[in-house]
mmCIF file of all heavy atoms in Angstrom:
data_model
loop_
_atom_site.group_PDB
_atom_site.id
_atom_site.type_symbol
_atom_site.label_atom_id
_atom_site.label_comp_id
_atom_site.label_asym_id
_atom_site.label_seq_id
_atom_site.Cartn_x
_atom_site.Cartn_y
_atom_site.Cartn_z
ATOM 1 N N ASP A 849 94.617 93.867 83.726
ATOM 2 C CA ASP A 849 93.456 94.117 82.864
ATOM 3 C C ASP A 849 93.879 94.825 81.582
ATOM 4 O O ASP A 849 93.431 94.460 80.482
ATOM 5 C CB ASP A 849 92.417 94.956 83.612
ATOM 6 C CG ASP A 849 91.194 95.255 82.755
ATOM 7 O OD1 ASP A 849 90.427 94.319 82.456
ATOM 8 O OD2 ASP A 849 91.022 96.425 82.355
ATOM 9 N N LEU A 850 94.746 95.821 81.710
ATOM 10 C CA LEU A 850 95.239 96.519 80.520
ATOM 11 C C LEU A 850 95.975 95.568 79.588
ATOM 12 O O LEU A 850 95.791 95.614 78.362
ATOM 13 C CB LEU A 850 96.180 97.654 80.927
ATOM 14 C CG LEU A 850 95.571 99.005 81.278
ATOM 15 C CD1 LEU A 850 96.663 99.947 81.766
ATOM 16 C CD2 LEU A 850 94.851 99.618 80.076
ATOM 17 N N LEU A 851 96.825 94.722 80.160
ATOM 18 C CA LEU A 851 97.590 93.799 79.321
ATOM 19 C C LEU A 851 96.678 92.830 78.579
ATOM 20 O O LEU A 851 96.898 92.548 77.399
ATOM 21 C CB LEU A 851 98.592 93.021 80.186
ATOM 22 C CG LEU A 851 99.572 92.135 79.410
ATOM 23 C CD1 LEU A 851 100.479 92.993 78.527
ATOM 24 C CD2 LEU A 851 100.414 91.301 80.371
ATOM 25 N N SER A 852 95.641 92.342 79.254
ATOM 26 C CA SER A 852 94.715 91.410 78.602
ATOM 27 C C SER A 852 93.979 92.062 77.442
ATOM 28 O O SER A 852 93.660 91.407 76.444
ATOM 29 C CB SER A 852 93.705 90.870 79.624
ATOM 30 O OG SER A 852 92.799 91.885 80.038
ATOM 31 N N ARG A 853 93.722 93.361 77.546
ATOM 32 C CA ARG A 853 93.070 94.095 76.466
ATOM 33 C C ARG A 853 94.067 94.447 75.358
ATOM 34 O O ARG A 853 93.691 94.551 74.188
ATOM 35 C CB ARG A 853 92.443 95.384 77.007
ATOM 36 C CG ARG A 853 91.307 95.180 77.997
ATOM 37 C CD ARG A 853 90.891 96.509 78.612
ATOM 38 N NE ARG A 853 89.876 96.362 79.628
ATOM 39 C CZ ARG A 853 88.555 96.371 79.401
ATOM 40 N NH1 ARG A 853 88.123 96.534 78.154
ATOM 41 N NH2 ARG A 853 87.692 96.240 80.383
ATOM 42 N N SER A 854 95.316 94.641 75.755
ATOM 43 C CA SER A 854 96.323 95.117 74.811
ATOM 44 C C SER A 854 96.855 94.019 73.900
ATOM 45 O O SER A 854 97.023 94.236 72.685
ATOM 46 C CB SER A 854 97.484 95.753 75.577
ATOM 47 O OG SER A 854 98.448 96.278 74.700
ATOM 48 N N ILE A 855 97.135 92.841 74.443
ATOM 49 C CA ILE A 855 97.804 91.786 73.671
ATOM 50 C C ILE A 855 97.114 91.475 72.348
ATOM 51 O O ILE A 855 97.784 91.408 71.304
ATOM 52 C CB ILE A 855 97.969 90.510 74.526
ATOM 53 C CG1 ILE A 855 99.012 90.746 75.627
ATOM 54 C CG2 ILE A 855 98.393 89.325 73.662
ATOM 55 C CD1 ILE A 855 99.166 89.583 76.596
ATOM 56 N N GLN A 857 95.569 93.327 70.452
ATOM 57 C CA GLN A 857 95.638 94.473 69.544
ATOM 58 C C GLN A 857 97.076 94.833 69.164
ATOM 59 O O GLN A 857 97.289 95.699 68.316
ATOM 60 C CB GLN A 857 94.987 95.702 70.215
ATOM 61 C CG GLN A 857 93.591 95.469 70.754
ATOM 62 C CD GLN A 857 92.607 95.019 69.692
ATOM 63 O OE1 GLN A 857 92.681 95.464 68.543
ATOM 64 N NE2 GLN A 857 91.704 94.118 70.060
ATOM 65 N N MET A 858 98.051 94.186 69.773
ATOM 66 C CA MET A 858 99.441 94.565 69.546
ATOM 67 C C MET A 858 99.907 94.159 68.147
ATOM 68 O O MET A 858 99.576 93.086 67.651
ATOM 69 C CB MET A 858 100.353 93.949 70.606
ATOM 70 C CG MET A 858 100.143 94.514 71.999
ATOM 71 S SD MET A 858 101.285 93.829 73.247
ATOM 72 C CE MET A 858 102.794 94.727 72.820
ATOM 73 N N LEU A 897 103.742 97.889 76.648
ATOM 74 C CA LEU A 897 102.920 96.684 76.503
ATOM 75 C C LEU A 897 101.435 96.974 76.667
ATOM 76 O O LEU A 897 100.596 96.159 76.260
ATOM 77 C CB LEU A 897 103.333 95.634 77.541
ATOM 78 C CG LEU A 897 104.772 95.118 77.477
ATOM 79 C CD1 LEU A 897 104.994 94.093 78.588
ATOM 80 C CD2 LEU A 897 105.083 94.499 76.119
ATOM 81 N N TYR A 898 101.094 98.118 77.261
ATOM 82 C CA TYR A 898 99.695 98.414 77.571
ATOM 83 C C TYR A 898 99.036 99.371 76.575
ATOM 84 O O TYR A 898 97.808 99.461 76.533
ATOM 85 C CB TYR A 898 99.579 99.039 78.973
ATOM 86 C CG TYR A 898 100.257 98.295 80.085
ATOM 87 C CD1 TYR A 898 100.759 98.986 81.204
ATOM 88 C CD2 TYR A 898 100.414 96.910 80.054
ATOM 89 C CE1 TYR A 898 101.382 98.314 82.245
ATOM 90 C CE2 TYR A 898 101.049 96.239 81.100
ATOM 91 C CZ TYR A 898 101.533 96.947 82.179
ATOM 92 O OH TYR A 898 102.163 96.290 83.209
ATOM 93 N N ARG A 899 99.822 100.096 75.791
ATOM 94 C CA ARG A 899 99.259 101.181 74.971
ATOM 95 C C ARG A 899 98.237 100.704 73.951
ATOM 96 O O ARG A 899 97.293 101.424 73.635
ATOM 97 C CB ARG A 899 100.377 101.953 74.267
ATOM 98 C CG ARG A 899 101.185 102.833 75.195
ATOM 99 C CD ARG A 899 102.057 103.823 74.454
ATOM 100 N NE ARG A 899 102.866 104.592 75.394
ATOM 101 C CZ ARG A 899 104.095 104.268 75.746
ATOM 102 N NH1 ARG A 899 104.678 103.198 75.213
ATOM 103 N NH2 ARG A 899 104.771 105.005 76.612
ATOM 104 N N ALA A 900 98.420 99.502 73.430
ATOM 105 C CA ALA A 900 97.498 99.004 72.406
ATOM 106 C C ALA A 900 96.092 98.782 72.954
ATOM 107 O O ALA A 900 95.139 98.636 72.183
ATOM 108 C CB ALA A 900 98.031 97.708 71.786
ATOM 109 N N ALA A 901 95.941 98.784 74.276
ATOM 110 C CA ALA A 901 94.601 98.656 74.869
ATOM 111 C C ALA A 901 93.756 99.884 74.584
ATOM 112 O O ALA A 901 92.532 99.846 74.697
ATOM 113 C CB ALA A 901 94.711 98.452 76.380
ATOM 114 N N ASN A 902 94.420 100.997 74.224
ATOM 115 C CA ASN A 902 93.726 102.244 73.892
ATOM 116 C C ASN A 902 92.834 102.716 75.040
ATOM 117 O O ASN A 902 91.665 103.028 74.863
ATOM 118 C CB ASN A 902 92.894 102.078 72.609
ATOM 119 C CG ASN A 902 92.460 103.418 72.031
ATOM 120 O OD1 ASN A 902 93.129 104.435 72.233
ATOM 121 N ND2 ASN A 902 91.354 103.430 71.319
ATOM 122 N N ARG A 903 93.439 102.778 76.217
ATOM 123 C CA ARG A 903 92.759 103.280 77.417
ATOM 124 C C ARG A 903 93.616 104.400 78.009
ATOM 125 O O ARG A 903 94.288 104.199 79.032
ATOM 126 C CB ARG A 903 92.552 102.160 78.451
ATOM 127 C CG ARG A 903 91.631 101.035 78.017
ATOM 128 C CD ARG A 903 90.190 101.519 77.932
ATOM 129 N NE ARG A 903 89.231 100.437 77.856
ATOM 130 C CZ ARG A 903 88.907 99.785 76.749
ATOM 131 N NH1 ARG A 903 89.511 100.119 75.610
ATOM 132 N NH2 ARG A 903 88.007 98.824 76.750
ATOM 133 N N PRO A 904 93.637 105.571 77.371
ATOM 134 C CA PRO A 904 94.576 106.626 77.785
ATOM 135 C C PRO A 904 94.404 107.085 79.224
ATOM 136 O O PRO A 904 95.394 107.369 79.909
ATOM 137 C CB PRO A 904 94.296 107.764 76.798
ATOM 138 C CG PRO A 904 92.947 107.470 76.229
ATOM 139 C CD PRO A 904 92.826 105.981 76.212
ATOM 140 N N LEU A 907 95.854 104.482 81.479
ATOM 141 C CA LEU A 907 97.312 104.541 81.377
ATOM 142 C C LEU A 907 97.882 105.650 82.257
ATOM 143 O O LEU A 907 98.935 105.480 82.887
ATOM 144 C CB LEU A 907 97.736 104.761 79.928
ATOM 145 C CG LEU A 907 97.655 103.543 79.002
ATOM 146 C CD1 LEU A 907 97.942 103.967 77.559
ATOM 147 C CD2 LEU A 907 98.628 102.456 79.425
#
Side-chain angles (χ1 to χ4, degrees):
D849 180 69
L850 274 175
L851 187 64
S852 70
R853 295 172 184 271
S854 183
I855 290 175
Q857 308 301 324
M858 292 183 76
L897 299 180
Y898 309 150
R899 287 194 183 94
N902 195 27
R903 295 290 195 278
L907 284 173

